[in-house]
Amino acid sequence: MPQITRDQVRVPADVMPESRDEYIANYLKATRGTGRLMLFACDQKIEHLNKDFYGEGIDIADAKPEHLFEIGRQGVCGVLAGQRGLIAQYAADYPEINYLVKMNSKTNIVPGSQDDPYSPQLYDLDAVLAMREAGVNVVGIGYTIYLGSEYESTMMAEAGELIAQAHANGLLVVLWIYPRGKAVKAEKDPALIAGAAGVALCLGADFVKVNPPKPEDGTAPAEALKVATMASGRTGLVCAGGSTVDAETFLTQLYDQIHTGGAVGNATGRNIHQRSLDEAVRLTKAISAITLADYSVADALAVFNGEKDFSL
Amino acid sequence: MPQITRDQVRVPADVMPESRDEYIANYLKATRGTGRLMLFACDQKIEHLNKDFYGEGIDIADAKPEHLFEIGRQGVCGVLAGQRGLIAQYAADYPEINYLVKMNSKTNIVPGSQDDPYSPQLYDLDAVLAMREAGVNVVGIGYTIYLGSEYESTMMAEAGELIAQAHANGLLVVLWIYPRGKAVKAEKDPALIAGAAGVALCLGADFVKVNPPKPEDGTAPAEALKVATMASGRTGLVCAGGSTVDAETFLTQLYDQIHTGGAVGNATGRNIHQRSLDEAVRLTKAISAITLADYSVADALAVFNGEKDFSL
Amino acid sequence: MPQITRDQVRVPADVMPESRDEYIANYLKATRGTGRLMLFACDQKIEHLNKDFYGEGIDIADAKPEHLFEIGRQGVCGVLAGQRGLIAQYAADYPEINYLVKMNSKTNIVPGSQDDPYSPQLYDLDAVLAMREAGVNVVGIGYTIYLGSEYESTMMAEAGELIAQAHANGLLVVLWIYPRGKAVKAEKDPALIAGAAGVALCLGADFVKVNPPKPEDGTAPAEALKVATMASGRTGLVCAGGSTVDAETFLTQLYDQIHTGGAVGNATGRNIHQRSLDEAVRLTKAISAITLADYSVADALAVFNGEKDFSL
Amino acid sequence: MPQITRDQVRVPADVMPESRDEYIANYLKATRGTGRLMLFACDQKIEHLNKDFYGEGIDIADAKPEHLFEIGRQGVCGVLAGQRGLIAQYAADYPEINYLVKMNSKTNIVPGSQDDPYSPQLYDLDAVLAMREAGVNVVGIGYTIYLGSEYESTMMAEAGELIAQAHANGLLVVLWIYPRGKAVKAEKDPALIAGAAGVALCLGADFVKVNPPKPEDGTAPAEALKVATMASGRTGLVCAGGSTVDAETFLTQLYDQIHTGGAVGNATGRNIHQRSLDEAVRLTKAISAITLADYSVADALAVFNGEKDFSL
Amino acid sequence: MPQITRDQVRVPADVMPESRDEYIANYLKATRGTGRLMLFACDQKIEHLNKDFYGEGIDIADAKPEHLFEIGRQGVCGVLAGQRGLIAQYAADYPEINYLVKMNSKTNIVPGSQDDPYSPQLYDLDAVLAMREAGVNVVGIGYTIYLGSEYESTMMAEAGELIAQAHANGLLVVLWIYPRGKAVKAEKDPALIAGAAGVALCLGADFVKVNPPKPEDGTAPAEALKVATMASGRTGLVCAGGSTVDAETFLTQLYDQIHTGGAVGNATGRNIHQRSLDEAVRLTKAISAITLADYSVADALAVFNGEKDFSL
């Protein structure tokens, strides 16, 4: 598995000198020493309410939140991303997981036709730092910006301030950036996705999670992603996993995003946790095999099918 | 009566080490050492103005606020939940009651057709901590979120910050979560109630008070409640008592919510305080007999009818 | 004159121990040792602009603000309520008056048809505490809430926080609560007035000023007031004096509010200051004779007519 | 020239004891030892953009901002009122001027038909106190309130808080109060102007700048002003100079405002700075001759015409 | 090359004495010792998203953000202006560049027809000061105001406060001021541009970046600019470079802005970075030759064409 050394970690200039070691340690933990990010997204209980966790096509195991943490423990992930309270209720029993605290969230009850989206910051960073101080293995924070929303300014400002504070304290930052709102005609327009990537850089994020671009001109999505990964510069770009598809399709997309598109990882939620514990665990390993160890799709599929094992 | 030990209290990871003992003590006080919650809701003087306290079918004793505290003293409750000011005016004379300070409230004068609901935070936590410091027996706080309101974001943010602060200081948190607003078509839709339960968990609440789900497909409410209690995970779920019904109906519902639905208690207001002091006191005992001591409905009814006594 | 002792003053539990003596002293000063409140309301220069102070039927003495302070000095009042700045400009020359600082105010220029009412907090409590520290005889604060306004939430929150701070520092709090706004059909509906009284209690006010209820069913106003004074519990209720009427009508209403309705005082402005200094002074004495010394209406009228004197 | 002594300066009760000497010194500086105020208003570069400084009928000297400071140095003024930044850029070269920092300002681009006026506070008082600490001769602050605007509440609150802070630190406060907004039918209605004057007093201002009233019933403006100067009580009232008129008209109006209307000074901008340096300097002297030394109109005109000199 | 000495630097009075040396050093660095400003604007990745960096007519080098920093290093600029996060990610590898941190930014997704523009402050000044403390060569900050927007008040207030804080800490301030919004009919109207210049002065900025005026009456733009440079007084005025044009046109405009219009520099972005590295570097040198060393257009063109070299 390709590994980077402590010296190869590029530390942003807004990480205060006294937090430099902490930042490097967090970066190596989150990327499992590879510089690549496998993010297990577990923030949907607010974002999508219970619809992602219970119903047709979803394993009943997913109805209980502990499922997420069991996957986190038994599978192979870089970070488990969830809201502060969720982590606070389970972290003591799952201390080995790297946690990324999602700082904002909204439900999907109010439709876009009624109001543009705003996802409010739910707690200040001090609350997160206190949890770290109290022993929770928090390596970073996350924040979602709906670019082009009428509330873009509030989210940009909350994110901007949080990034400064998080870096100063040695925490990583992942931005979720989704163009959305009345003014946004095509949320997955490649130029817009590239724009989102550039915004993440200007705000100083370490990683940005975007939706895979959907070109209208026949370009392959992974090809179109190249522009975005150039635009994001030193901010690593990862794509959202989206709704559940079959494993081969999913792993192939991921492989192309990394090897063609220049992505440095992935951010996957529903595709993982809507499966039974065993299957979900194997999927995290297959994803990580591609993301962190440059496996081929075929080899990763073998991991998913239980024909090969993968661990770090 | 089933009892839990100090070691069995699961302390969230955002309770600071120096507040750990305080949290455990508050948890055991609020749940009367059982892990179950009997919450006597006394916040309606703002929420419903005087309509819940005076008029046809309401005992005249309820016209005076001291009635609430007499019930709290003579009856059997886990906590008495009311606004900070209400508690401040009476607590010195009723020191034995466990108080849960309701942090926000709104009146019902502005109708939903005019504006979506927002219930503002009425004081910061420091004001509550100061009262505790001054000797008032405050064991926790409460906050109401109207999920799906256009003001959801403000309430989510206020709740998110308060929970972090309350836990850090060893206080319990109960969230009241009601889906409500122009975007909410069916406030008691089981999936929505389960969603509300999950939101409470992600925010880190210890308990969440929701309305009992009303399935449209013939499922029994208590059966439908199961999905919600799974979704809430380590956050204990209790149902709101709603408007006054006869005792047998009420106690049967409660029994089913706990034994079929997986609820860990109840949150009852009007059903209790709209009765004469003696009847109200007996009802708190009957409710607690089911909630805290696993009585059958028949035995609890006997307590309500004064044929059996119940105390802790 | 009925007097209460220091021990009979009921101190709310949010008065910090170190401010307890201060609170008791302020309570006794404001109520002239009786537990009853005679509040001279002098906040109309913002609320009603100059219309209450100059024009037909108003003594020319009222055109100059010093008139208010002369009445305060020569008459018999519990507290003179006015905005911070007004008090700051005159207090050094009228040190014997008990001041109640009105914390919010609005003008009446924007009509209700254009916007619902919001009366903004004009300064923080620190500014009031500093004045007290500098020697001004401030015994409490006041705040107006327009219940049912679309801005109810902001006023509830400002009041809620101020009450906590004021009590913590030993100051009394009087809330003015008026139901008003597009959603309010009948501002003086008895049930609504009773609701307002209950809100004041839940916020923790020491006194609440409401408009006298106007029953539509033929009940006498003072009779209707009983429900409100029950609802307000330990928060003393006083009625607003309203626009100027003849002294006998005024004093009879007041007598009934106290002896039938259960009010514990009065809050009067225009009825007093729109008269000449001499007449205004005599009216404060007549009002105080009823409020503080349980005079009959006839005896109080004799005081007003200069046939009897009244002092404390 | 009539002079007042230090003992005759009436110090508001919200001036902290340790700032009392500072307040008295500032009061005497601003009023040139007379208790009267000659305010040179230089805040129009934001309020009216460049239209007041360049164009037909305006001396070309006014195109450069240094013109304002030259007038301030060579002429006779009580204070020069301008925004913090303007003063910061020139004060080191014009140390002898008394500066009044205008705390809020807006442009006139958005018309009243589009939105009601709001003039935002542009910096906190600490920024002003720091400048004073660093040696700038700041004697007070100013703030504009648009009474009757839908944003009245925000401006009232900003002003209310600033006055408390400014007085606590020994600075004078001048309020500009203009009724304006959709709800205001006649901005110069005498009753409204009197109302504005009373508002300034209740907020605790030392001086209030209002527009001269325009009675519709044939009353002379200066006569109508009397009601306002009574209403403002201990807050000194001065009238805005308005757009440029000939010197005799201007000086006559000023004389009448003071000697008939009870004004204690004037606040003049465009009438002064739109002239050549020499003429502007002479006009400040003529104005100050009336304001500070009770000159007749004829004598003041002689000063303006260079036939007499006037200095302090 | 004309140079100014430390003593010739005019230090605003709001620079605290302990920060005076820092301010002078920053001023000399930013102006390369000349008092003139060559600002390389690199904030478009948020303002214009990826459209300014990728597409027809744009060199592919510009697709990667590192391009901006390579130009900054190899070319001749006064300051490189970009958002805090962008600078934080690259500054450690480009320590020789003078950085100006852009404090606010918005995307251009929401069109003016949907909402007036507001560009939110993205972080507080402390975050910038911390970066300086940690060794980043930050010499100043920038902020954009959309004058005439319905959100003008918020931007004016954020800018006003930031300028006070920045100066107090020895940092320069550049304001970008663009009249824009429903109320603005002609964004480049000379009188409006002059107004913007005056606003910058009143807020206390050191430099203001405006669009070159577009007179409708046939006046040459540089001639029309004179009024604006008079209006800005001690605040140096520079014009925005706008969209990419050929070098000769660009340099001629710049020459005229300085030598006819009274501008003290330039602020150029797209015109520079949309070219290949080599060409972009030569353009920065040509621009600086005019701005900092009073080269003729012909000589500057020779620099751009590589026929002459220019360095400091």
Side-chain angles (χ1 to χ4, degrees):
Chain A
M1 218 155 8
Q3 293 284 319
I4 58 171
T5 61
R6 287 181 49 86
D7 291 352
Q8 287 173 306
V9 177
R10 196 179 264 145
V11 182
D14 53 353
V15 175
M16 290 302 103
E18 64 273 21
S19 299
R20 199 177 165 84
D21 287 349
E22 174 88 25
Y23 179 90
I24 292 171
N26 285 335
Y27 189 89
L28 292 174
K29 277 203 260 180
T31 67
R32 298 292 186 180
T34 70
R36 295 258 187 82
L37 182 67
M38 192 291 196
L39 182 154
F40 178 28
C42 296
D43 61 339
Q44 302 93 348
K45 289 183 89 72
I46 295 183
E47 302 291 346
H48 302 153
L49 298 172
N50 213 41
K51 190 178 60 76
D52 277 14
F53 297 89
Y54 180 81
E56 211 187 307
I58 301 173
D59 194 279
I60 188 66
D62 205 18
K64 293 193 179 175
E66 198 128 11
H67 184 57
L68 304 171
F69 293 85
E70 282 299 331
I71 297 170
R73 163 152 51 197
Q74 300 180 31
V76 176
C77 303
V79 297
L80 185 158
Q83 292 86 4
R84 199 197 64 84
L86 180 71
I87 293 169
Q89 291 286 357
Y90 293 89
D93 293 333
Y94 298 89
E96 63 277 71
I97 296 174
N98 298 321
Y99 293 105
L100 188 104
V101 179
K102 190 76 191 308
M103 299 300 287
N104 67 336
S105 279
K106 62 181 282 297
T107 74
N108 56 5
I109 301 176
V110 174
S113 57
Q114 182 180 337
D115 201 4
D116 264 16
Y118 166 54
S119 180
Q121 181 176 334
L122 299 172
Y123 15 82
D124 57 25
L125 194 72
D126 285 346
V128 176
L129 297 175
M131 267 175 63
R132 181 175 73 173
E133 197 70 26
V136 180
N137 182 30
V138 178
V139 300
I141 62 167
Y143 188 97
T144 300
I145 297 174
Y146 294 105
L147 221 60
S149 162
E150 290 179 358
Y151 306 104
E152 174 192 294
S153 58
T154 309
M155 290 176 280
M156 294 277 277
E158 289 184 356
E161 187 67 35
L162 277 172
I163 293 169
Q165 295 172 2
H167 274 181
N169 286 283
L171 292 171
L172 298 187
V173 182
V174 180
L175 288 181
W176 280 231
I177 309 195
Y178 305 130
R180 193 162 298 164
K182 278 184 278 296
V184 177
K185 301 311 169 208
E187 296 188 356
K188 300 187 179 175
D189 171 64
L192 208 44
I193 298 294
V199 168
L201 173 65
C202 291
L203 292 173
D206 300 293
F207 294 94
V208 60
K209 179 189 179 191
V210 295
N211 277 315
K214 262 198 187 162
E216 305 246 308
D217 61 357
T219 314
E223 199 63 39
L225 192 60
K226 276 184 188 171
V227 182
T229 55
M230 284 194 289
S232 73
R234 293 187 175 180
T235 297
L237 183 148
V238 304
C239 286
S243 53
T244 301
V245 296
D246 72 278
E248 181 163 7
T249 303
F250 183 82
L251 295 170
T252 305
Q253 281 173 0
L254 174 57
Y255 185 91
D256 292 346
Q257 285 165 3
I258 294 176
H259 292 279
T260 303
V264 299
N266 72 289
T268 313
R270 285 169 280 174
N271 260 291
I272 294 170
H273 64 68
Q274 291 183 342
R275 303 172 193 260
S276 68
L277 178 58
D278 176 60
E279 195 177 326
V281 164
R282 281 186 278 110
L283 186 52
T284 64
K285 292 182 178 180
I287 291 171
S288 287
I290 290 178
T291 299
L292 306 176
D294 282 340
Y295 273 39
S296 67
V297 172
D299 284 350
L301 258 176
V303 170
F304 175 67
N305 291 327
E307 298 154 9
K308 283 197 180 187
D309 195 26
F310 177 79
S311 64
L312 291 173
Chain B
M1 217 156 11
Q3 293 284 319
I4 58 171
T5 62
R6 287 180 49 86
D7 290 353
Q8 288 172 307
V9 176
R10 194 179 265 144
V11 182
D14 53 353
V15 174
M16 290 301 104
E18 64 273 21
S19 299
R20 199 178 165 85
D21 287 348
E22 174 87 25
Y23 179 89
I24 293 171
N26 285 334
Y27 188 89
L28 291 175
K29 279 204 257 181
T31 67
R32 299 291 187 181
T34 71
R36 295 259 187 80
L37 182 67
M38 192 291 197
L39 182 154
F40 179 27
C42 297
D43 61 338
Q44 301 94 347
K45 290 182 89 71
I46 295 182
E47 302 290 347
H48 303 153
L49 297 172
N50 212 41
K51 191 178 59 75
D52 278 13
F53 297 89
Y54 180 80
E56 210 187 307
I58 301 173
D59 194 279
I60 189 65
D62 206 17
K64 293 193 179 176
E66 198 129 10
H67 184 57
L68 304 171
F69 293 85
E70 282 300 331
I71 297 170
R73 166 157 44 200
Q74 300 181 29
V76 176
C77 303
V79 297
L80 185 159
Q83 291 87 5
R84 199 197 65 83
L86 179 72
I87 293 169
Q89 292 286 358
Y90 292 89
D93 293 334
Y94 298 88
E96 63 278 70
I97 296 174
N98 298 321
Y99 293 105
L100 187 105
V101 179
K102 189 77 190 308
M103 300 301 286
N104 67 336
S105 278
K106 62 182 281 296
T107 73
N108 56 4
I109 302 176
V110 173
S113 58
Q114 182 180 336
D115 202 2
D116 263 16
Y118 166 54
S119 180
Q121 182 176 335
L122 299 172
Y123 15 82
D124 57 25
L125 194 72
D126 285 346
V128 176
L129 297 176
M131 267 175 63
R132 181 175 73 173
E133 197 71 26
V136 181
N137 182 30
V138 178
V139 300
I141 61 166
Y143 188 96
T144 301
I145 297 174
Y146 294 106
L147 221 59
S149 161
E150 290 179 357
Y151 306 104
E152 174 192 294
S153 59
T154 309
M155 290 176 280
M156 295 276 277
E158 289 184 356
E161 187 66 36
L162 277 172
I163 293 170
Q165 295 172 4
H167 275 182
N169 287 283
L171 291 171
L172 298 188
V173 182
V174 181
L175 288 182
W176 281 230
I177 308 195
Y178 305 130
R180 194 162 298 163
K182 278 184 278 296
V184 177
K185 300 311 168 209
E187 297 188 356
K188 300 187 179 175
D189 171 64
L192 209 44
I193 298 295
V199 168
L201 172 65
C202 291
L203 291 173
D206 300 293
F207 293 95
V208 60
K209 178 189 179 191
V210 295
N211 277 316
K214 262 199 188 161
E216 305 246 308
D217 61 358
T219 315
E223 199 62 39
L225 192 59
K226 277 184 188 171
V227 181
T229 55
M230 285 194 289
S232 73
R234 293 187 174 179
T235 297
L237 183 149
V238 303
C239 286
S243 52
T244 301
V245 296
D246 72 280
E248 181 162 7
T249 304
F250 184 81
L251 295 170
T252 305
Q253 281 172 0
L254 174 57
Y255 186 91
D256 292 346
Q257 285 164 4
I258 293 176
H259 293 279
T260 303
V264 300
N266 72 290
T268 313
R270 284 169 281 174
N271 260 292
I272 295 171
H273 65 68
Q274 291 182 343
R275 303 171 193 259
S276 67
L277 178 57
D278 177 59
E279 194 175 327
V281 164
R282 281 185 279 111
L283 186 52
T284 66
K285 292 182 177 180
I287 292 172
S288 287
I290 290 177
T291 300
L292 306 175
D294 280 341
Y295 273 39
S296 67
V297 172
D299 284 350
L301 258 175
V303 170
F304 175 66
N305 292 327
E307 299 154 10
K308 283 196 180 188
D309 194 26
F310 177 79
S311 64
L312 291 172
Chain C
M1 217 156 8
Q3 293 283 318
I4 58 172
T5 63
R6 286 180 50 86
D7 290 352
Q8 288 172 307
V9 176
R10 195 179 264 145
V11 182
D14 54 353
V15 174
M16 291 300 105
E18 64 273 21
S19 299
R20 199 177 166 84
D21 287 348
E22 174 87 26
Y23 179 89
I24 292 170
N26 285 333
Y27 188 88
L28 291 174
K29 278 204 258 181
T31 67
R32 298 291 186 182
T34 70
R36 295 259 187 82
L37 182 67
M38 192 291 196
L39 182 153
F40 179 27
C42 296
D43 61 338
Q44 301 94 346
K45 289 182 89 72
I46 295 184
E47 302 291 347
H48 303 153
L49 297 171
N50 213 40
K51 192 179 59 76
D52 278 13
F53 297 88
Y54 180 80
E56 210 188 307
I58 301 173
D59 193 279
I60 188 67
D62 205 18
K64 293 193 180 176
E66 198 128 9
H67 185 55
L68 304 171
F69 293 85
E70 282 300 332
I71 297 171
R73 168 161 37 205
Q74 300 181 31
V76 176
C77 303
V79 297
L80 185 158
Q83 291 87 6
R84 199 197 64 83
L86 179 72
I87 293 169
Q89 292 286 357
Y90 293 89
D93 293 333
Y94 298 89
E96 63 277 72
I97 295 174
N98 297 323
Y99 293 105
L100 188 104
V101 179
K102 188 76 189 309
M103 300 300 287
N104 68 336
S105 279
K106 62 181 282 296
T107 73
N108 56 5
I109 301 176
V110 174
S113 57
Q114 182 181 336
D115 201 4
D116 263 16
Y118 166 54
S119 181
Q121 182 175 335
L122 298 172
Y123 14 82
D124 57 25
L125 194 73
D126 285 346
V128 176
L129 297 176
M131 267 174 62
R132 181 175 73 172
E133 197 71 26
V136 180
N137 183 29
V138 178
V139 300
I141 62 166
Y143 188 97
T144 300
I145 296 174
Y146 294 106
L147 222 59
S149 162
E150 290 179 357
Y151 306 104
E152 173 192 293
S153 59
T154 310
M155 290 176 280
M156 295 277 278
E158 289 184 356
E161 187 67 35
L162 276 172
I163 293 170
Q165 294 172 4
H167 274 181
N169 287 283
L171 291 171
L172 298 188
V173 182
V174 180
L175 288 182
W176 279 231
I177 308 194
Y178 305 130
R180 193 162 299 164
K182 279 184 278 296
V184 178
K185 301 310 169 210
E187 297 188 357
K188 300 187 178 175
D189 171 65
L192 209 45
I193 297 294
V199 168
L201 172 65
C202 291
L203 291 173
D206 300 293
F207 294 94
V208 60
K209 178 188 178 191
V210 294
N211 277 315
K214 262 199 187 158
E216 305 246 308
D217 60 357
T219 315
E223 199 62 39
L225 192 60
K226 276 185 188 171
V227 181
T229 55
M230 284 195 287
S232 74
R234 294 188 174 179
T235 298
L237 184 148
V238 303
C239 286
S243 53
T244 301
V245 296
D246 72 278
E248 180 161 8
T249 304
F250 184 81
L251 295 170
T252 305
Q253 282 172 1
L254 174 58
Y255 186 90
D256 292 346
Q257 284 165 3
I258 294 176
H259 292 280
T260 303
V264 301
N266 72 289
T268 314
R270 285 168 281 174
N271 261 292
I272 295 171
H273 64 68
Q274 291 183 344
R275 303 172 193 259
S276 67
L277 178 58
D278 177 59
E279 194 176 327
V281 165
R282 281 186 278 110
L283 186 52
T284 65
K285 292 183 178 179
I287 291 172
S288 287
I290 290 177
T291 301
L292 306 176
D294 281 341
Y295 274 39
S296 68
V297 173
D299 285 350
L301 259 176
V303 170
F304 175 66
N305 291 328
E307 299 154 10
K308 284 197 179 188
D309 194 26
F310 177 80
S311 64
L312 291 174
Chain D
M1 216 156 13
Q3 293 284 318
I4 58 172
T5 62
R6 287 180 51 86
D7 290 352
Q8 288 171 308
V9 176
R10 196 180 263 145
V11 182
D14 53 353
V15 173
M16 290 302 103
E18 64 273 21
S19 299
R20 199 177 165 84
D21 287 348
E22 175 86 25
Y23 179 88
I24 292 171
N26 285 334
Y27 189 89
L28 292 174
K29 277 204 258 182
T31 67
R32 298 292 186 180
T34 70
R36 295 259 187 80
L37 182 68
M38 192 290 196
L39 182 154
F40 178 27
C42 297
D43 61 337
Q44 301 94 347
K45 289 182 89 71
I46 295 183
E47 302 291 346
H48 303 152
L49 297 172
N50 213 41
K51 192 178 59 76
D52 278 12
F53 297 89
Y54 180 80
E56 211 187 307
I58 301 173
D59 194 279
I60 188 66
D62 205 19
K64 293 192 179 175
E66 198 128 11
H67 185 55
L68 304 170
F69 294 85
E70 282 300 331
I71 297 170
R73 170 165 31 209
Q74 300 181 30
V76 175
C77 303
V79 296
L80 185 158
Q83 290 87 5
R84 199 197 65 84
L86 180 72
I87 293 170
Q89 291 287 357
Y90 293 90
D93 294 333
Y94 299 88
E96 62 277 72
I97 296 173
N98 297 322
Y99 293 105
L100 188 104
V101 179
K102 189 77 190 307
M103 299 301 286
N104 68 336
S105 278
K106 62 180 282 296
T107 74
N108 55 5
I109 301 176
V110 174
S113 57
Q114 183 180 337
D115 202 4
D116 263 17
Y118 166 54
S119 180
Q121 182 176 334
L122 298 172
Y123 16 81
D124 57 24
L125 194 72
D126 285 345
V128 176
L129 296 175
M131 267 174 63
R132 181 175 73 172
E133 197 70 27
V136 181
N137 183 29
V138 178
V139 301
I141 62 167
Y143 189 96
T144 301
I145 297 174
Y146 295 105
L147 222 60
S149 162
E150 290 179 356
Y151 307 103
E152 173 192 293
S153 59
T154 309
M155 289 176 280
M156 295 276 278
E158 288 184 356
E161 187 66 35
L162 277 173
I163 292 170
Q165 295 172 3
H167 274 182
N169 286 283
L171 291 172
L172 298 188
V173 182
V174 181
L175 289 182
W176 279 232
I177 308 194
Y178 305 130
R180 192 163 299 163
K182 277 184 279 296
V184 177
K185 301 310 170 210
E187 296 188 357
K188 299 186 180 177
D189 171 64
L192 209 44
I193 298 294
V199 168
L201 172 65
C202 291
L203 291 173
D206 301 292
F207 294 94
V208 59
K209 178 189 178 190
V210 295
N211 277 315
K214 263 199 187 159
E216 305 246 310
D217 61 357
T219 314
E223 199 63 39
L225 192 60
K226 277 184 188 171
V227 181
T229 55
M230 283 194 289
S232 73
R234 294 188 174 179
T235 297
L237 184 148
V238 303
C239 286
S243 53
T244 301
V245 296
D246 72 279
E248 180 161 8
T249 304
F250 183 81
L251 294 171
T252 305
Q253 282 172 1
L254 174 57
Y255 186 91
D256 292 346
Q257 285 164 3
I258 292 176
H259 292 280
T260 302
V264 301
N266 73 289
T268 313
R270 285 169 280 175
N271 261 292
I272 295 171
H273 64 68
Q274 291 183 344
R275 304 173 193 259
S276 68
L277 179 57
D278 177 59
E279 194 177 326
V281 165
R282 282 186 278 111
L283 186 53
T284 65
K285 292 182 178 180
I287 292 172
S288 287
I290 290 177
T291 300
L292 306 176
D294 281 341
Y295 273 39
S296 68
V297 173
D299 284 349
L301 258 175
V303 170
F304 175 65
N305 291 327
E307 299 154 10
K308 283 197 181 188
D309 194 25
F310 176 80
S311 64
L312 291 173
Chain E
M1 217 157 9
Q3 293 284 319
I4 59 172
T5 62
R6 288 181 48 87
D7 290 351
Q8 288 173 307
V9 176
R10 195 180 264 144
V11 181
D14 53 353
V15 174
M16 290 301 104
E18 63 274 21
S19 298
R20 199 178 164 85
D21 287 348
E22 174 87 25
Y23 178 89
I24 292 171
N26 285 334
Y27 189 89
L28 292 175
K29 278 204 259 181
T31 67
R32 298 293 188 179
T34 70
R36 294 259 187 82
L37 183 67
M38 191 290 197
L39 182 154
F40 178 27
C42 296
D43 61 339
Q44 302 93 348
K45 290 182 88 71
I46 295 183
E47 303 290 346
H48 303 153
L49 298 172
N50 212 40
K51 191 179 59 77
D52 277 13
F53 297 89
Y54 180 80
E56 213 188 306
I58 301 173
D59 194 279
I60 189 67
D62 205 18
K64 293 193 178 175
E66 198 129 10
H67 185 55
L68 304 171
F69 293 86
E70 282 299 331
I71 297 170
R73 163 153 50 198
Q74 300 181 31
V76 176
C77 304
V79 296
L80 185 159
Q83 291 86 5
R84 199 197 64 84
L86 179 72
I87 293 170
Q89 292 286 359
Y90 292 89
D93 293 334
Y94 298 89
E96 62 278 70
I97 296 174
N98 297 322
Y99 293 105
L100 187 105
V101 178
K102 189 76 190 308
M103 300 300 288
N104 67 337
S105 279
K106 62 181 282 296
T107 74
N108 56 5
I109 301 176
V110 174
S113 57
Q114 182 181 337
D115 201 3
D116 263 17
Y118 166 54
S119 180
Q121 182 175 335
L122 298 172
Y123 15 82
D124 57 25
L125 194 73
D126 285 346
V128 176
L129 297 176
M131 267 175 62
R132 180 174 74 171
E133 197 71 25
V136 181
N137 183 29
V138 178
V139 300
I141 62 166
Y143 188 97
T144 301
I145 297 173
Y146 295 105
L147 221 60
S149 162
E150 291 179 356
Y151 306 104
E152 174 192 294
S153 58
T154 309
M155 290 176 280
M156 294 277 277
E158 289 185 355
E161 186 66 36
L162 276 172
I163 293 170
Q165 294 172 3
H167 274 182
N169 286 283
L171 291 171
L172 298 188
V173 182
V174 180
L175 289 181
W176 281 231
I177 308 193
Y178 305 130
R180 193 163 297 164
K182 278 183 280 295
V184 178
K185 301 309 170 211
E187 297 188 357
K188 299 186 180 176
D189 171 64
L192 208 45
I193 298 294
V199 168
L201 172 65
C202 291
L203 291 173
D206 300 292
F207 294 95
V208 60
K209 178 188 178 191
V210 295
N211 277 315
K214 262 199 188 159
E216 305 246 310
D217 61 358
T219 315
E223 200 61 40
L225 192 59
K226 277 184 189 170
V227 181
T229 55
M230 284 194 288
S232 73
R234 294 187 174 180
T235 297
L237 183 149
V238 303
C239 286
S243 53
T244 301
V245 297
D246 72 279
E248 182 163 6
T249 305
F250 183 82
L251 295 171
T252 306
Q253 282 172 0
L254 173 58
Y255 186 91
D256 293 346
Q257 284 164 4
I258 293 176
H259 292 280
T260 304
V264 300
N266 72 288
T268 314
R270 285 169 280 174
N271 261 292
I272 295 170
H273 64 67
Q274 291 183 344
R275 303 174 193 260
S276 68
L277 178 58
D278 177 58
E279 194 176 326
V281 165
R282 282 186 277 112
L283 186 52
T284 65
K285 292 183 177 179
I287 291 172
S288 287
I290 290 177
T291 300
L292 306 176
D294 281 340
Y295 273 40
S296 68
V297 173
D299 284 349
L301 259 175
V303 170
F304 175 67
N305 291 327
E307 298 154 11
K308 283 196 180 187
D309 195 25
F310 177 81
S311 64
L312 291 173

